[in-house]
């Protein structure tokens, strides 16, 4: 566990922060990264600071997709442009780095070099439900042996990964899905809080996020969250123009509130035996104009103890912890846990609660 070499697919908001946070984690060496137009690979270790500087403006825009995590597509640059998502100039992002090489097949290029990579973190768009599962399948078809981590949100994607579990297991892949904040960090917190009970009645996850850098640097996250608002869905959110999104934000004075979101916490807690998916409720408040969290992030687990008492265990995040700290820190922690399991021969699809005490 002292030397884990990892790759990041996508150097938008989540990908860049993953590289940045990894510098503060022992035993992690970034050896590969890609965006839509380029790839950087050095098995001795990338110069992360230089790469971060080069990808600072790596934000996509366009009538479809249009977020910081829309940075590497299934067919490379040509397919991305066919989707109507354009980058800010052909020299933006990794190709502007001294370590970068231009390519139209960034994911395939990393797959070709994956023999020397212990883990791959997918900071890819979630606005196509099957995109991440299809990328995982491509690694399996190339006989990749290692760990794959994602920070996906949508419940329905878990089933798509489960459908591919046999192929992933055969290849020797340990796939940890939904390993960000929620699902991820807070899913694990709920699994721990459930240990007091013999029966869990309800899990409530209520999050608050204040975006320090605003909408400009978090377009993908904001667009994906908009899909959870009443009257919106994945398709309508994907088709919205940047102007339409900014107009929606203005209408809400920069603060968006969400209820009964389709977050994979429900499926992941059910598969871990904690409770039924229908008993998990996720909501929150997003403020794109303030550094301060608009509400405190809280996980509440209500259940019955072995001696018949009903209680609620509550886990609360400090308001000083940022979205970046609560997404990328846990993601890299789950990456380490995935590598530990992979080296022990445990392959297949795992959720964050599967790596916690059993219920």
């Amino acid at each position: 566990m002292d030397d884990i070499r990892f790759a990041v697919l996508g150097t938008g908001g989540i990908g860049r922060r993953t590289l940045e946070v990894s510098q503060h984690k022992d035993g992690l060496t970034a050896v590969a990264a890609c965006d839509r137009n380029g790839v950087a690979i050095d098995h001795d270790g990338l110069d992360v600071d230089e790469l971060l500087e080069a990808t600072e403006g790596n934000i996509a825009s366009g009538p479809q997709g249009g977020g910081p995590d829309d940075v590497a597509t299934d067919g490379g640059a040509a397919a991305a442009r066919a989707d109507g998502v354009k980058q800010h100039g052909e020299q933006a992002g990794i190709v502007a780095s001294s370590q970068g090489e231009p390519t139209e097949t960034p994911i395939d290029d990393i797959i070709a070099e994956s023999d020397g990579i212990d883990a791959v973190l997918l900071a890819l768009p979630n606005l196509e439900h099957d995109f991440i599962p299809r990328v995982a399948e491509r690694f399996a078809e190339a006989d990749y042996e290692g760990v794959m981590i994602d920070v996906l949100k949508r419940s329905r994607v878990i089933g798509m990964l489960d459908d591919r579990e046999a192929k992933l297991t055969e290849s020797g892949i340990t796939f940890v899905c939904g390993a960000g904040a929620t699902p991820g960090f807070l899913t694990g917190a709920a699994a721990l809080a459930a240990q007091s009970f013999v029966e869990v009645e309800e899990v409530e996850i209520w999050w608050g996020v204040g975006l320090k850098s605003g909408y400009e640097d978090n377009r993908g996250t904001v667009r994906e969250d908009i899909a959870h608002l009443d009257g919106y869905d994945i398709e309508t959110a994907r088709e919205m123009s940047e102007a339409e999104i900014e107009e929606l934000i203005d209408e809400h004075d920069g603060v968006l509130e969400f209820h009964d979101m389709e977050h994979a916490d429900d499926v992941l807690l059910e598969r871990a035996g904690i409770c039924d998916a229908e008993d998990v409720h996720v909501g929150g408040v997003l403020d794109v104009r303030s550094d301060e969290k608009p509400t405190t992030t809280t996980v509440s687990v209500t259940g019955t103890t072995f001696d018949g008492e009903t209680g609620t265990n509550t886990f609360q995040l400090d308001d000083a912890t940022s979205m970046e700290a609560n997404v990328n820190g846990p993601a890299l922690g789950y990456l380490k846990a995935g590598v530990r399991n992979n080296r022990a021969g445990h392959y297949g699809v795992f959720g964050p609660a599967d790596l916690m005490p059993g219920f």
Side-chain angles (χ1 to χ4, degrees):
M1 296 298 295
D2 293 334
D3 182 20
I4 297 174
R5 294 166 296 175
F6 74 99
V8 175
L9 304 188
T11 53
I14 291 175
R16 293 185 71 254
R17 293 174 188 125
T18 297
L19 291 167
E20 183 179 3
V21 174
S22 72
Q23 298 181 97
H24 302 274
K25 298 281 189 178
D26 292 337
L28 294 177
T29 301
V31 297
C34 71
D35 61 13
R36 179 177 299 117
N37 294 320
V39 63
I41 300 174
D42 186 340
H43 289 287
D44 292 327
L46 295 171
D47 182 340
V48 172
D49 288 333
E50 191 273 343
L51 196 65
L52 289 174
E53 183 177 354
T55 59
E56 186 173 2
N58 206 19
I59 300 175
S61 63
Q64 301 179 15
D69 302 318
D70 296 335
V71 290
T73 65
D74 200 30
R81 297 188 189 98
D83 274 345
V85 184
K86 299 178 181 178
Q87 192 128 7
H88 292 318
E90 293 299 318
Q91 297 306 311
I94 284 181
V95 293
S97 165
S98 61
Q99 305 167 84
E101 296 290 340
T103 179
E104 292 192 351
T105 56
I107 294 176
D108 289 336
D109 290 359
I110 288 185
I111 290 175
E113 295 284 342
S114 61
D115 282 348
I117 298 174
D118 299 303
V120 179
L121 191 142
L122 294 84
L124 297 171
N126 293 316
L127 288 176
E128 293 180 32
H129 298 315
D130 64 343
F131 183 40
I132 287 176
R134 284 190 286 118
V135 171
E137 189 171 13
R138 287 164 63 185
F139 273 83
E141 288 172 347
D143 296 323
Y144 172 65
E145 298 179 45
V147 174
M148 303 191 76
I149 302 287
D150 71 43
V151 293
L152 61 81
K153 298 180 181 180
R154 290 278 171 172
S155 303
R156 70 192 74 177
V157 182
I158 307 301
M160 297 177 185
L161 289 166
D162 285 339
D163 290 342
R164 294 164 169 84
E165 183 164 24
K167 183 172 290 187
L168 298 175
T169 300
E170 182 180 356
S171 176
I173 292 175
T174 303
F175 196 107
V176 185
C177 55
T182 171
F185 186 13
L186 303 186
T187 319
L192 281 177
Q195 300 304 313
S196 297
F197 309 117
V198 294
E199 182 179 358
V200 172
E201 300 172 7
E202 185 178 43
V203 175
E204 293 188 352
I205 296 175
W206 184 251
W207 53 264
V209 170
L211 296 179
K212 291 183 178 181
S213 50
Y215 169 60
E216 274 297 309
D217 197 35
N218 296 277
R219 297 186 185 188
T221 296
V222 174
R223 183 183 291 270
E224 187 176 352
D225 282 339
I226 285 173
H228 293 277
L229 289 173
D230 289 341
Y232 294 82
D233 56 25
I234 286 290
E235 287 70 30
T236 55
R238 177 173 176 154
E239 294 293 333
M240 291 176 71
S241 68
E242 296 298 323
E244 289 172 331
I245 289 179
E246 291 179 7
E247 181 180 354
L248 175 65
I249 292 172
D250 287 340
E251 290 175 0
H252 290 79
D253 294 324
V255 179
L256 304 177
E257 186 166 323
F258 306 89
H259 298 273
D260 294 321
M261 303 178 77
E262 186 201 337
H263 261 223
D265 302 88
D266 55 1
V267 175
L268 294 168
L269 286 170
E270 181 174 271
R271 67 181 286 160
I274 304 298
C275 61
D276 293 336
E278 63 187 19
D279 296 326
V280 180
H281 306 285
V282 180
V285 184
L286 172 67
D287 188 341
V288 300
R289 294 176 177 170
S290 173
D291 290 352
E292 302 296 325
K293 288 185 180 180
T295 186
T296 297
T297 297
T298 305
V299 179
S300 298
V301 179
T302 300
T304 305
T305 66
F306 77 97
D307 49 0
E309 297 294 331
T310 298
T312 299
N313 285 343
T314 301
F315 176 85
Q316 181 175 297
L317 296 184
D318 193 287
D319 289 344
T321 60
S322 65
M323 180 184 72
E324 294 87 346
N326 294 326
V327 171
N328 299 101
L332 289 170
Y334 279 118
L335 184 150
K336 285 190 171 186
V339 170
R340 183 168 59 247
N341 278 271
N342 184 264
R343 291 177 179 176
H346 303 151
Y347 310 135
V349 178
F350 299 85
D354 296 325
L355 304 180
M356 306 301 290
F359 186 74

